[in-house]
Structures are given as C-alpha cells and as structure tokens.
Amino acid sequence: MIVNCGEPNNALDSSSRSINETVNGSHHFTIRGYSLAKGMGPGKYISSDTFSIGGYEWAIYFYPDGKNPEDSSMYVSVFIALASEGTDVRALFELTLLDQSGKGKHKVHSHFDRAGEWALHAQIQGKHVVMWGYKRFFRRTSLETSDFLKDDCLSMHCTVGVVRTRVEGPKLYSVPIPPSDMGQSLKAQFFGLVGNPNSDKVELEDVEPSIFKALLQFIYSDELPDFHEIIGSTSTSSAIMMQHLLAAADRFGLDRLKQLCEAKLCEEVSADTVATTLSLAEQHHCPQLKAICLKFAATNLGVVMQSVGFRHLEQSCPSLLSELLETVASVDEKSNLVSGKRRSGSSIFGLDLAADGGVAEPGNPNGRRLRRRIV
C-alpha cells in the first residue's frame, strides 16, 4: 500500500491515499492422455478453457514438445496467456504441477514472493497474445518417470494475481443511526402469531440460517453480530453477509438494524463491492447508501467497471447506469472547478448510454453495447 502522508493544516487542506492490491483467483487444469499429446510438434500447445480473474481473460498453454524447436526433445513448456484484447495489465503468477502420489511434493514456480519482478506488465493491442511461463518447465524424461504423471494424466494449478490501483479520499460519508428500539424489535411473527395460530413454529423462506441467526442476535442484543462467530468461517466476506442482513432487516421491518447495516456497508465500500451494494440500495430503498455508492463508483469508475458486480448491475438495474453517469459528470465538474483543468482525451466521459441502458462503445454511433466477460 502506498500512502500519501501528511496531516491537513486547516479546513481547506485535503488528503488521499493510493492503494495497490492484487485480485487473486485460481484455475485447475487436467490433461488426460498425455502420451497421445506427445509428437504434436514444437510450438504447438494444449490449451485450458479461458477463465476470468480480475476482469481479464486467461488461459494455460501446455507444450508437450516444447515451445521452441531446440527444446522439443528435452523439455515440456507451460505458459500463462493473457487472452483479453486492448488491455493494460500487471499481474503475478504461480504455476504448480501437482504430485499425484499423495506425498504433497508439488513442483511450484511462483512470482508472488517476488512482487518487485513483475511476471507480466503488458500493453496489449489487437489480438496479440502476451504470455508468461517457462520454456524449460520440466525435463521430459524426468516428468514421465515421476509422481506428477499418473494414469497418463497430468494435473496443474494456476493462480493469477491482477494488480489494481485505487485512490481513497477521506471518509466523509456517514449514515445517521436512530436510537435503540429494542422492545419494538421483538416482532410478533417470531412468536408464531402469524399464519396458523395453532402452529408452534413459523417457516421462513428465502433467508439463510446464518443470516436469520444474526437477525435474532440483533433483536436480543441491539448490536450488530460478529459474522465470523456465527458462521465459524471467513470464506464469505463481511460485506456480502452485511448485504444479506440488510435485505432481511428490510423484509422484517427492523429499521434500526437496516440503518446499522447501511452504515457498515458505507464504511466497507470498495471497488469490488460498490456495484452490488448500489443495486441493493436501490432495491431496498436506501437513498443515503445509494448516494454514497454512486459517488464512490464515479470517482473509481475504471476499476469498478472491471468488477464482478458491475456486470450484474448492467443486467439487473440498467437505469442506475444513467444515474452513475450523471454522478460522474457532477464529480468531474466539481473537480474542474477546484483544479481549473479539464480531463484528457482518455476521460471517463468516453462512455455513452446505449438505447437499452447499457454502456456503449466510445465513438460508436450505433451505440453497440459492450459485452464483458467477468466471473
């Protein structure tokens, strides 16, 4: 993380910080019938399916006869290919050939512990494919007598870390929290007084058990729950759990809990979560959270458009794209008033709305909608 340090001297001063971080993802690739792939010739490869990490498309290329003619009789080659077009990307990689004997002696090549030596920093134009990897990944004779090859099958694991940079300004956003209404939160529905009066239980649909447990914990404690204690795992981010809890609070009329969730989501807003949080705020009538998300997305539009949630936002709430562009214009106008400078030709004003509410390709008079392939 790179921080622009310095304490503000007065109300006219401001501060920000630039944060460099990686978005990591993995892909497992299995090659069956290795012996049949031999002899296809140097420079020819077997490709995995494409997979998406950090908003970019990737693939694993395995060369059974080596990438170059001089290595064809000695080594197999393995490369990671960036399959996206027209992108500028920095990324780190780790390639692991799995030991299939159960001993765990995997063959690992990693750049994650050498972040200063970029595995890939490429500007791609047209359909040119940029690759990173090893021409001499493994000596063939050693591979064919090792525990890495079992039943004529090879298995490898690839991890990609896409480096992204975002700028954070001061946390000026806040959602007011109403006073405690603990007594009113003990709703009649939870005592079996809704539906069949003779039933001693209430069946609730479309609510995860962990979310409902968190909701009950709030009712009896008037405090936001600790999700890690409830689910006993950190596999799901707290922002996602908070989004589900907000939806449940809105459903059951727990206004204070709903606003507590809003405040927490406001604190944790990021490029990866802002699109889904914005959609949630629109669906559950949270105007303050919505305004905060719009402003955050407008000031970090480039990285937000590469997130998983942005594609969902395009499909589920296309009307919000119009509001987002209005916010972009407002933020840009205020920025120009302060700096007295106009954005360059690469400004985010290059976005136009297509007729169906999607984002049109800049300079395309037909308003063709851009299709993004994002996991």
Side-chain angles (χ1 to χ4, degrees):
M1 177 168 64
I2 303 173
V3 181
N4 300 330
C5 300
E7 295 295 329
N9 297 320
N10 54 59
L12 297 179
D13 290 337
S14 61
S15 63
S16 65
R17 58 180 180 175
S18 176
I19 301 174
N20 293 305
E21 55 193 2
T22 60
V23 178
N24 298 339
S26 299
H27 184 80
H28 189 86
F29 182 37
T30 300
I31 300 172
R32 298 187 181 278
Y34 163 80
S35 61
L36 298 176
K38 292 194 306 179
M40 62 190 305
K44 296 183 179 180
Y45 58 84
I46 299 170
S47 174
S48 71
D49 193 8
T50 56
F51 51 96
S52 297
I53 297 174
Y56 299 98
E57 298 293 315
W58 308 90
I60 303 172
Y61 290 175
F62 177 77
Y63 297 78
D65 293 326
K67 190 173 187 296
N68 297 332
E70 59 268 24
D71 299 322
S72 62
S73 61
M74 299 290 292
Y75 295 92
V76 298
S77 306
V78 181
F79 280 77
I80 308 297
L82 174 63
S84 297
E85 299 178 9
T87 57
D88 183 0
V89 59
R90 289 184 299 164
L92 300 171
F93 301 91
E94 182 174 278
L95 272 173
T96 303
L97 186 61
L98 300 180
D99 177 4
Q100 301 188 70
S101 69
K103 300 175 183 177
K105 296 182 179 180
H106 310 304
K107 183 177 177 64
V108 181
H109 293 279
S110 178
H111 270 259
F112 278 89
D113 55 354
R114 294 178 288 166
E117 304 174 16
W118 291 109
L120 177 64
H121 183 190
Q123 292 183 333
I124 319 301
Q125 298 295 332
K127 296 185 177 181
H128 179 62
V129 176
V130 169
M131 297 186 296
W132 169 93
Y134 296 92
K135 292 187 295 183
R136 299 182 175 184
F137 183 74
F138 209 121
R139 186 177 290 272
R140 181 188 291 174
T141 54
S142 300
L143 173 64
E144 294 175 357
T145 58
S146 72
D147 290 328
F148 301 109
L149 183 65
K150 181 180 180 180
D151 299 328
D152 207 25
C153 173
L154 290 173
S155 188
M156 61 187 67
H157 192 80
C158 170
T159 298
V160 178
V162 177
V163 179
R164 297 206 299 212
T165 302
R166 59 186 174 88
V167 177
E168 283 189 356
K171 297 291 185 181
L172 301 178
Y173 312 125
S174 63
V175 175
I177 305 300
S180 174
D181 58 354
M182 188 171 178
Q184 299 177 26
S185 295
L186 297 175
K187 298 296 179 177
Q189 178 170 359
F190 304 133
F191 292 95
L193 300 181
V194 174
N196 184 356
N198 298 319
S199 175
D200 59 353
K201 64 180 180 180
V202 176
E203 292 187 7
L204 299 174
E205 298 180 352
D206 302 323
V207 180
E208 291 292 330
S210 58
I211 298 299
F212 191 69
K213 183 178 180 180
L215 186 145
L216 288 177
Q217 188 176 98
F218 166 79
I219 289 176
Y220 287 100
S221 68
D222 197 42
E223 295 179 353
L224 277 176
D226 185 332
F227 286 115
H228 294 162
E229 292 182 1
I230 292 175
I231 62 179
S233 170
T234 59
S235 58
T236 303
S237 72
S238 60
I240 294 175
M241 299 294 287
M242 201 61 64
Q243 290 171 352
H244 287 292
L245 185 58
L246 185 149
D250 185 41
R251 172 180 175 181
F252 294 110
L254 300 175
D255 294 335
R256 175 172 158 78
L257 175 58
K258 179 180 176 181
Q259 288 178 286
L260 285 170
C261 292
E262 284 188 71
K264 193 66 175 177
L265 288 170
C266 171
E267 294 175 5
E268 298 183 356
V269 68
S270 69
D272 290 323
T273 64
V274 67
T276 53
T277 301
L278 176 58
S279 177
L280 182 82
E282 174 78 351
Q283 181 181 357
H284 293 281
H285 311 290
C286 305
Q288 296 175 94
L289 181 60
K290 176 182 175 181
I292 289 167
C293 289
L294 283 170
K295 186 173 181 180
F296 182 92
T299 54
N300 298 274
L301 187 59
V303 67
V304 170
M305 289 177 66
Q306 297 175 13
S307 68
V308 176
F310 190 80
R311 182 176 182 180
H312 171 74
L313 184 68
E314 287 181 299
Q315 297 173 345
S316 62
C317 301
S319 62
L320 284 176
L321 296 181
S322 297
E323 295 185 57
L324 176 56
L325 289 182
E326 290 175 5
T327 308
V328 169
S330 175
V331 169
D332 193 81
E333 182 179 358
K334 290 178 181 178
S335 176
N336 287 332
L337 289 175
V338 173
S339 65
K341 298 179 181 179
R342 287 287 177 183
R343 292 177 183 262
S344 67
S346 61
S347 168
I348 47 181
F349 280 119
L351 297 173
D352 298 312
L353 278 183
D356 62 352
V359 179
E361 183 178 3
N364 182 355
N366 297 322
R368 180 175 63 84
R369 184 170 180 171
L370 291 179
R371 299 293 181 185
R372 295 175 180 80
R373 294 178 292 176
I374 307 176
V375 292

